[in-house]
Amino acid sequence: MTPPDRDAVMAVLDTVHDPELRRSIVALNMVRDVVIDAGAVTIDVKLTTAGCPLKDEIQRRVTDAVTPMEGVTAVTVHLEAMTDEERAALRHGIGGGPAHVSPFAEGARTKVIGVASGKGGVGKSSVTANLAVALARQGHSVGVLDADVYGYSIPRMMGIHRSAVMVEDLMLPVEAHGVRLISMGFLAKDDSPVIWRGPMLHKALTSFVTDVFWDDPDFLLIDLPPGTGDVALTIAQLIPTAHMVIVTTPPLTAQKVASRSAAMARRVSLPVVGVIENMSYFVAPDTGVRYDIFAGGGGEALATELGVPLLGRVPLEADVARAGDDGLPVVAARPDSVAARELATCADAIVDAVGVPDPAPVGTRDAAAHG
Ligand SMILES: Nc1ncnc2c1ncn2[C@@H]1O[C@H](COP(=O)(O)OP(=O)(O)OP(=O)(O)O)[C@@H](O)[C@H]1O
Ligand SMILES: [Mg+2]
């Protein structure tokens, strides 16, 4: 069988995308050399950094793409790091970043949803992670901005244990379960609490909006820290088109605190899409008997007070908590569980309320990659 020529191999490589930059490795100028000797194809690929955590994945994608080609008997992939000049050229080609305004400014297609509550520990982060995975499973492109700079927990919930890659001044989100995430957890060196002064906090959040390669997702979910503080105000300034979802638990005391965060939402004039009541009840897995552990109806009361819908009531379920340890959100781990179905229903309700964004303009991504 005649081996393919170089052009044919390049055409196939053009369909291989860098997992983080999400553009063709040919368009990104990452393919340096293709040598074909009889049926043996050797491909030199340049990585943005020598320590690229996804180099195995890139190698696999290249091998998988070229191996089935007619006449190919062996594929060898050589990986090496780009020079500073090459990296700068690539950085220039993908656009975005600090020199630019917020990618989520007025007129942007991304629907931004902040998840807030007045009180800590009601399940904001669990709800955010699961809503994000639910939206991704529906086929949407989804980003998560973990705005809990001091107490980030989403990386653990999503099972991410590595840092974010930088291309020059641009941070690349880390993908897990189809969701692209940025968190202080990718920058902090270890698990010690991050101590930031107010101005630093503002700077970090601004950076998370403008210096990240968000790449125009359909939805951006923001996990807000507990309380009504500066973070929501900063987010509201940075992303004035954001919507809010308020998470609460049944007891009315929690509802009182949550209503404070609703008041804050009104103050910063972000529309509240609805309320999610979490830890609403418990269904015994062995008997199927349902227990209303907390008296209160806090979710309904808060929704009524705000004049917004109650989007859903998520039961207390061991699998929801387990995700915190296993890094596998319940909507991915056990999509048929009551909690997962209720969270998926909440995601649907949010889409209904904020609308599906216009389709991403075709071709702009690859065109941008050519600079
Ligand atoms: N529906 C649920 N069923 C069982 N456990 C849950 C549920 N929701 C959340 N949890 C657990 O409750 C704890 C608090 O949840 P989570 O961290 O999501 O809350 P939070 O509001 O983000 O907290 P913080 O205010 O500290 O950021 C976690 O251990 C989580 O696994
Ligand atoms: Mg949290």
Side-chain angles (χ1 to χ4, degrees):
M1 233 180 295
T2 10
D5 63 13
R6 192 179 183 282
D7 285 353
V9 175
M10 285 302 273
V12 164
L13 290 175
D14 198 30
T15 66
V16 176
H17 283 207
D18 178 272
E20 287 184 309
L21 295 167
R22 294 146 37 97
R23 283 157 174 66
S24 151
I25 59 171
V26 172
L28 290 168
N29 224 3
M30 291 169 65
V31 178
R32 264 326 125 78
D33 209 3
V34 174
V35 175
I36 303 157
D37 181 12
V41 182
T42 306
I43 302 156
D44 287 354
V45 176
K46 290 262 190 166
L47 304 169
T48 52
T49 58
C52 176
L54 294 173
K55 59 184 174 195
D56 291 346
E57 173 67 15
I58 295 172
Q59 185 154 25
R60 189 187 62 73
R61 289 187 183 191
V62 169
T63 308
D64 287 356
V66 177
T67 304
M69 290 183 78
E70 209 172 282
V72 170
T73 54
V75 178
T76 310
V77 183
H78 288 150
L79 301 173
E80 59 177 304
M82 290 184 168
T83 63
D84 292 348
E85 292 75 36
E86 288 167 335
R87 197 166 32 250
L90 179 144
R91 165 68 188 92
H92 179 74
I94 55 179
H100 294 248
V101 288
S102 160
F104 308 116
E106 202 83 49
R109 59 182 289 281
T110 302
K111 305 285 183 182
V112 181
I113 295 125
V115 180
S117 77
K119 185 175 161 244
V122 298
K124 284 177 302 298
S125 302
S126 308
V127 166
T128 307
N130 279 290
L131 289 177
V133 175
L135 290 169
R137 287 167 65 93
Q138 291 170 7
H140 299 293
S141 58
V142 184
V144 172
L145 191 166
D146 180 356
D148 196 346
V149 168
Y150 303 97
Y152 54 85
S153 56
I154 304 247
R156 187 172 39 85
M157 290 180 178
M158 302 279 278
I160 302 172
H161 304 286
R162 68 172 175 90
S163 306
V165 170
M166 301 286 302
V167 177
E168 307 276 285
D169 52 358
L170 201 60
M171 259 178 280
L172 307 187
V174 179
E175 184 170 329
H177 311 296
V179 170
R180 300 172 77 237
L181 170 68
I182 274 296
S183 170
M184 191 49 87
F186 302 156
L187 305 176
K189 283 274 174 283
D190 51 39
D191 277 344
S192 60
V194 183
I195 308 298
W196 294 74
R197 289 170 285 120
M200 291 292 283
L201 181 61
H202 183 87
K203 199 159 169 284
L205 291 167
T206 307
S207 237
F208 280 179
V209 171
T210 62
D211 307 354
V212 169
F213 184 57
W214 286 114
D215 204 21
D216 214 12
D218 296 335
F219 293 94
L220 179 76
L221 300 191
I222 303 179
D223 183 26
L224 292 163
T228 61
D230 298 343
V231 172
L233 285 163
T234 295
I235 293 294
Q237 283 163 13
L238 288 166
I239 313 177
T241 55
H243 295 78
M244 300 268 275
V245 166
I246 316 263
V247 180
T248 189
T249 49
L252 285 164
T253 45
Q255 181 261 317
K256 278 208 184 82
V257 190
S259 73
R260 258 186 259 149
S261 93
M264 177 269 306
R266 277 191 297 249
R267 199 169 71 235
V268 298
S269 66
L270 294 179
V272 178
V273 172
V275 172
I276 296 177
E277 188 183 85
N278 188 30
M279 310 187 191
S280 292
Y281 53 91
F282 176 73
V283 181
D286 44 354
T287 60
V289 174
R290 176 178 157 147
Y291 298 90
D292 289 301
I293 296 176
F294 304 106
E300 192 69 65
L302 177 57
T304 305
E305 181 192 320
L306 293 172
V308 299
L310 180 63
L311 302 172
R313 301 183 72 218
V314 182
L316 199 70
E317 224 172 70
D319 285 325
V320 178
R322 213 168 280 143
D325 304 322
D326 295 352
L328 194 62
V330 72
V331 298
R334 299 220 23 235
D336 292 331
S337 65
V338 182
R341 279 189 279 129
E342 197 60 33
L343 284 157
T345 303
C346 292
D348 290 341
I350 290 170
V351 175
D352 284 347
V354 303
V356 182
D358 302 330
V362 178
T364 47
R365 284 188 178 151
D366 285 346
H370 287 290

